[in-house]
Structure formats: C-alpha cells, structure tokens
Amino acid sequence: AKEKGKNNCQFYTREMNASIEEKLVLLEGLRNALDDGQFRLVYQPKVELHSGRVFGVEALVRWEHPEQGVIGPDRFIPLAEESGMIVALGEWILRSACAQNKAWQDAGLPPLCVSVNVSPRQFEEARLVERVRQALDDSGLAPQWLELEVTEGVIMRDLQQAVAKMAQVRAMGVSLSIDDFGTGYSSLSALKSFPISTLKIDKSFVRDLGRSSGDEAIASSIIGLAHRLRLRVIAEGVETEQQRSFLRENGCDEMQGYLFSRPLPPQQLAALLSAPAMR
Ligand code: C2E
Ligand code: CA
Ligand code: CA
Ligand code: CA
C-alpha cells in the first residue's frame, strides 16, 4: 500500500509538471501567434426572443495552433492576461471585429451589432478608449454597431475609474454590457451607476432552467432587476427549447446559444443571415 501511495504521488507530480510545461509551451507560442496570423474570430448570433430576429453577434477568438490544432480561449486568454499579451491580442480582436462587421454591411447584410469581449487588463489599460476610437475610424464602422462586454469583476476592482471609463466609451456611441452577470460580486447599488445597456445572464444559471427552481428564481430576478433599471437582458448558453420557453415567458429580451447557432466563421454567419428565412 505504501509503494502504491508513492507511485500515486509521482503520478500527480508528473501531471502537474505536464500542465506547467503545457502553459510554458503555449506561452512561448503566443508570442509569435499574433504576428503569424494564427488567431481567428468566430461569431455567435444573438437573437431577439419575441421575434426570432438576429440583431447582433458576439466575436469569440480561436487560436489555430500549428501543432495542436484549434485551441479555445479558456486555455490561452488567461495566459495572455498574465503575460500582458492580451493588450496586443485584444487590439487585434477589436480591429478585426470592427472590420468584419463593416465588410458585412458593405456586402448588404442587415446591419448587426458586434460584441467584443474585453478582459480585465485590457479594460484597465490607459489607452483603451483611444484604441476603440481608432478601430472605429480605421474600419469605418459606425459606433452604434459596436458593443463591449465586460465582467462585473473588472468594474468592481476600481469602481470610480471603471465608471468614468465606461462613460467615455458610451459618449463615443459604443454600447456596453455586463457579461456573466450574477457570478461576480458587483453590488446592486453600484449597478445603477453603470452606463450600460444590457445585462447578460451567465450560462451557469441558464443550464438548469426547467429543472432547478433556484436557478429559475435567479434568472427571473435578474430579468426583473434589469427591466426595473431600464436595461435589456440577454441569456447565454441557451441549448434547449425548455430553456427558451422559460426565458420568453419570463420576459427575457434576447438569447444566445447552441439552440439557435454555434459560433460560426464569418462566411457561414453571412450565409445564415442571407438565407431567405432570416430576412
Ligand atoms: P464568454 O464571453 O462568457 O463566452 C461564452 C462562451 O460560451 C463561449 O465559449 C461560447 O462559445 C460558449 N457558448 C455559446 N453558446 C453556448 C451554449 O449553448 N452552451 C454552452 N455550453 N456554451 C456556449 P468560448 O468561445 O470558448 O469562450 C470562452 C470564454 O473565453 C468567453 O466566455 C470569454 O470569457 C473568453 N473569450 C472568448 N473570446 C474572447 C475574446 O475575443 N477576448 C477576450 N478577452 N476573451 C474572450
Ligand atoms: Ca462574452
Ligand atoms: Ca458569459
Ligand atoms: Ca465567461
């Protein structure tokens, strides 16, 4: 038994080394990935619940790693944050999303709002507002077709400064939404001072709609709260008809999830939106 315990111990150590090594390998690769053009964006439709109309898309980044294939953002965004790479990567994401949205408009697609995720370090960076303005200027995209998604955690780190920055973004005509709402710790009293237009219900509360009365209570409370603050509310991670019905019956405005569509490469998104049923 003692021998076995020792082996177990070695096993865990090897596993741990492997994950640290994996991090280092990815971190090393991240440095060149941007210059080598290994990142791409996919776009997930956002749908109005009462009409079924697609009014926007969320840009989500993917890394096409030369050896490892496609790597999801959960594996490299935290590394990019830690290493500071997120500022350059985030700028590329912002510029690409604006340029893509303008290209769709120029191609005659019904105009969409593109949402871009902004990570903590990127949001706190001094030149964020300037970078957003530059991305709009260079792409020719009108500001009302861009939205930034920020998490509660980002805002609560330095409330006053965050609110001031959000106000600058709003003043440009760009919208803001709070991502993963309900998982962070923003105080409800602070919420009323945020110059935002939308709350996004985190998918962890959406998963068990129709099965868990606790999650149903949370989801319907967020919807009620949002509406009383004159905000729109969107649910993410909607996978089933049951979840959609619950949300619609409880007055949620918008939804996003595999039930309607997975995140798609630009051409497939355009094809989906130009299909006759979508117009
Ligand atoms: P998020 O912003 O909360 O994005 C939602 C995630 O849920 C996405 O995962 C999306 O693909 C996934 N999703 C969409 N519909 C469904 C569904 O019906 N069921 C389930 N189970 N999942 C669904 P993804 O693309 O892997 O992104 C993960 C996280 O990585 C994002 O969470 C966001 O925090 C971060 N991220 C993604 N793209 C970017 C980016 O461009 N910049 C920054 N800073 N972060 C990003
Ligand atoms: Ca998001
Ligand atoms: Ca989210
Ligand atoms: Ca998230």
Side-chain angles (χ1 to χ4, degrees), residues 179-180 200 202 236:
D179 204 355
D180 302 347
K200 192 175 229 189
D202 189 66
E236 68 175 11

Short mmCIF file of all heavy atoms in Angstrom, two decimals, residues 179-180 200 202 236, ligand 3:
data_model
loop_
_atom_site.label_atom_id
_atom_site.label_comp_id
_atom_site.label_asym_id
_atom_site.label_seq_id
_atom_site.Cartn_x
_atom_site.Cartn_y
_atom_site.Cartn_z
N ASP A 179 -21.11 41.08 -18.74
CA ASP A 179 -21.05 39.66 -19.07
C ASP A 179 -21.10 38.83 -17.79
O ASP A 179 -20.72 39.31 -16.72
CB ASP A 179 -19.71 39.41 -19.79
CG ASP A 179 -19.74 38.19 -20.68
OD1 ASP A 179 -20.75 37.47 -20.69
OD2 ASP A 179 -18.73 37.96 -21.36
N ASP A 180 -21.57 37.59 -17.92
CA ASP A 180 -21.55 36.64 -16.79
C ASP A 180 -22.26 37.20 -15.57
O ASP A 180 -21.85 36.94 -14.44
CB ASP A 180 -20.11 36.27 -16.39
CG ASP A 180 -19.32 35.66 -17.53
OD1 ASP A 180 -19.93 35.30 -18.55
OD2 ASP A 180 -18.09 35.55 -17.40
N LYS A 200 -26.07 40.42 -19.15
CA LYS A 200 -26.05 39.09 -19.73
C LYS A 200 -26.10 38.05 -18.62
O LYS A 200 -25.20 38.00 -17.78
CB LYS A 200 -24.77 38.93 -20.56
CG LYS A 200 -24.77 37.72 -21.45
CD LYS A 200 -23.51 37.71 -22.32
CE LYS A 200 -23.88 37.47 -23.76
NZ LYS A 200 -22.67 37.24 -24.59
N ASP A 202 -25.47 34.76 -16.90
CA ASP A 202 -24.45 33.74 -17.11
C ASP A 202 -25.06 32.38 -17.43
O ASP A 202 -26.12 32.02 -16.90
CB ASP A 202 -23.57 33.62 -15.87
CG ASP A 202 -22.37 32.73 -16.13
OD1 ASP A 202 -21.52 33.13 -16.95
OD2 ASP A 202 -22.30 31.62 -15.56
N GLU A 236 -27.26 33.70 -22.03
CA GLU A 236 -26.28 32.98 -22.86
C GLU A 236 -26.36 31.49 -22.55
O GLU A 236 -26.91 31.08 -21.53
CB GLU A 236 -24.87 33.52 -22.62
CG GLU A 236 -24.32 33.22 -21.25
CD GLU A 236 -22.87 33.66 -21.05
OE1 GLU A 236 -22.30 34.37 -21.89
OE2 GLU A 236 -22.31 33.26 -20.02
CA CA B 3 -20.58 34.89 -20.46
#
